[in-house]
Structure formats: structure tokens, C-alpha cells
Amino acid sequence: MDLLRYYILNHSVKEVEKVLQPAAPQLIKLLPELLDYLPGLPTASATPNPDPKVEKQRTFLALVRCLAELAQTKPLMLIIEDLHWSDATSLEFLLTLARRASSLPIYLILTYRTDESTPELTHFLAELNRNRLGVETSLQRMTQPDVDLMLRTILDLDGPVSQEFLDAVVPLNQ
């Protein structure tokens, strides 16, 4: 939702309408403020007792449709960090997106900590692997000099970071 809100706030009404209009009836349920930006958009007809599974699938497909539309203009890279903190529904959506993204100019980069895995994440990763939808790359822990260089770059420092500060930050990398 944050990505869609960011898109709405940083693009013209014409661009937003082009990308979101096909999925608008479903998206308005998630982003009612979309009507403030595009008041002419149709809303989905209310179903008295919608099946939650069907509604979830419709929402997933609406979100995938928006991302696919964005990718038609130019390739899209979507980076999602700390996947190990994702809930089951988010992982289910990402699997739906990964399946569709394999035929689109969409590149997903997903990061997670192997030591903080959950059953849902394990299932998600197994599905990606089973469907050959991803490539896993393991990263090594940063050394103290690497952390020093990273901090100097981020903080735009000319000299090294104090040892006291490094001693506080380096364990966070473990």
C-alpha cells in the first residue's frame, strides 16, 4: 500500500489513472483515498458476503495488474527487505507476483535473514525454488573494516569512525 501511495503522490493524475484504472474497483477497497485523486473511478459493486479467499485473490490480481502496467512503460525493480518479518498474506502475494513477474520486465529482489526464518517463509522459499522463480545468493557478514567503510560513506565522513561507535554497530551485523 505504501508503494501505491507513493506512486499516487509522485505522479500526475493522468499517469495514475492509466496505471490504476483497470484495477481501481478492487484497489479502492484498500486505498479509499484513491477516490480523492481520481473521483471518476468506478468502485466495485458490494457483494453482501464476499468469499474472503476470492476477495484476496482479486486483490492480489489487481495489485499485480498495476505492477505489470508500470513495467510496460519501463522495467520495474521491486526491492523488499527483511522478508523474514512478512506475514503469510504478504508472502502469498509475493508468490503470486513472482509467478507473473517471470513473464514481465519485473525484477524482484527479496532479502531475508536465514537465521530468522518462519514456517511461512520456508514454505514461500520452497515454492519459489520448486517453480524455479528465483536465484538465492548468500551474503557474508560484514567485517569491521567493511562496517567502517559503510558508515563513513553513509555519514559522509573523511576519516574513520570511532572505535567506540564501531564496537556498538558491528555486533548488530551478527
Side-chain angles (χ1 to χ4, degrees), residues 81-154:
E81 295 183 333
D82 298 322
L83 205 58
H84 51 277
W85 291 336
S86 296
D87 62 21
T89 302
S90 298
L91 292 171
E92 191 178 344
F93 167 70
L94 286 173
L95 186 58
T96 300
L97 178 59
R99 287 180 174 136
R100 179 67 200 270
S102 66
S103 64
L104 295 168
I106 297 176
Y107 191 69
L108 294 174
I109 298 176
L110 310 172
T111 69
Y112 65 96
R113 290 180 175 251
T114 55
D115 58 338
E116 294 188 35
S117 190
T118 62
E120 294 84 6
L121 179 59
T122 301
H123 174 74
F124 170 78
L125 296 170
E127 285 296 310
L128 286 180
N129 189 43
R130 187 173 67 78
N131 291 291
R132 297 189 174 142
L133 294 172
V135 175
E136 187 170 8
T137 303
S138 295
L139 302 177
Q140 300 302 314
R141 300 280 184 203
M142 296 173 70
T143 64
Q144 185 168 331
D146 292 335
V147 173
D148 178 61
L149 177 61
M150 179 187 70
L151 290 171
R152 282 188 287 134
T153 302
I154 291 171

Side-chain angles (χ1 to χ4, degrees), residues 1 23-32 34 43-47 50 55 58-59:
M1 297 305 87
Q26 200 65 31
L27 293 179
I28 288 171
K29 295 174 187 176
L30 299 172
L31 293 170
L34 187 57
T43 58
S45 56
T47 308
E55 280 301 300
R58 284 183 184 151
T59 301

Side-chain angles (χ1 to χ4, degrees), residues 44-56:
S45 56
T47 308
N49 295 310
D51 180 346
K53 289 181 183 179
V54 171
E55 280 301 300
K56 180 169 61 172

Side-chain angles (χ1 to χ4, degrees), residues 19-79:
V19 170
L20 300 184
Q21 184 152 8
Q26 200 65 31
L27 293 179
I28 288 171
K29 295 174 187 176
L30 299 172
L31 293 170
E33 66 266 30
L34 187 57
L35 283 173
D36 295 337
Y37 295 95
L38 304 169
L41 289 177
T43 58
S45 56
T47 308
N49 295 310
D51 180 346
K53 289 181 183 179
V54 171
E55 280 301 300
K56 180 169 61 172
Q57 196 59 31
R58 284 183 184 151
T59 301
F60 286 179
L61 293 176
L63 291 168
V64 168
R65 186 182 310 166
C66 290
L67 294 170
E69 182 63 37
L70 284 171
Q72 296 306 316
T73 307
K74 57 186 170 187
L76 180 64
M77 181 183 301
L78 185 61
I79 302 170

